[in-house]
Amino acid sequence: MYRSLEELCRRAEEITGGFWKAVEEDDCKERQISEEESFSQLKAMYQAMREADQNYDPALKSRSGLVGTDGGKLQEYADHGEPVCGEFLGRVMAKAVKMGESNACMKRIVAAPTAGACGVLPAVLLPCARHFSLSREQLVQALYVASGFGMVIAARASISGAEGGCQA
């Protein structure tokens, strides 16, 4: 496991494939699995993020009634309004809220790195995929990059809300 970005970047320079490949290599070593199995698992996580977005129900509310419908409103605004921050960032914000609402409504999400932060990666990756016409392979590689940063953060600080408070 890498404890610093400097260490991870050094390793990325030593191997063919760069940063994402260094993280994949570390994953395979740590969990004693093949590169194909590691890549396949992250590909499945990316697919689950896509499905969570596609299966979002804008009418659904949490059991408490406090959470729901805002993701659909933001999506509508991003699609047909003129978001102050632009269409792209409007879509990013809509996806983040949609994932958070799906989590609160007990829908399937990818808890990466935690369920409370489940909207962050899909909010960035899904609009980027569309906007930049990225392949599924490139998006899985992006998940490795995010994992590498997360690995360093988790090694040096807490990512647990229970341990470090909500800001963790």
Side-chain angles (χ1 to χ4, degrees), residues 49-50 53 95-96 99 110 112 117-127:
M49 288 177 189
R50 286 187 53 197
D53 180 58
K95 291 203 185 302
M99 290 302 117
V110 177
C118 69
V120 176
L121 286 173
V124 173
L125 292 179
L126 298 175

Side-chain angles (χ1 to χ4, degrees), residues 83-105:
V84 173
C85 58
E87 182 183 332
F88 182 77
L89 283 180
R91 290 182 193 284
V92 168
M93 290 186 289
K95 291 203 185 302
V97 171
K98 286 165 63 174
M99 290 302 117
E101 288 180 352
S102 293
N103 178 38
C105 294

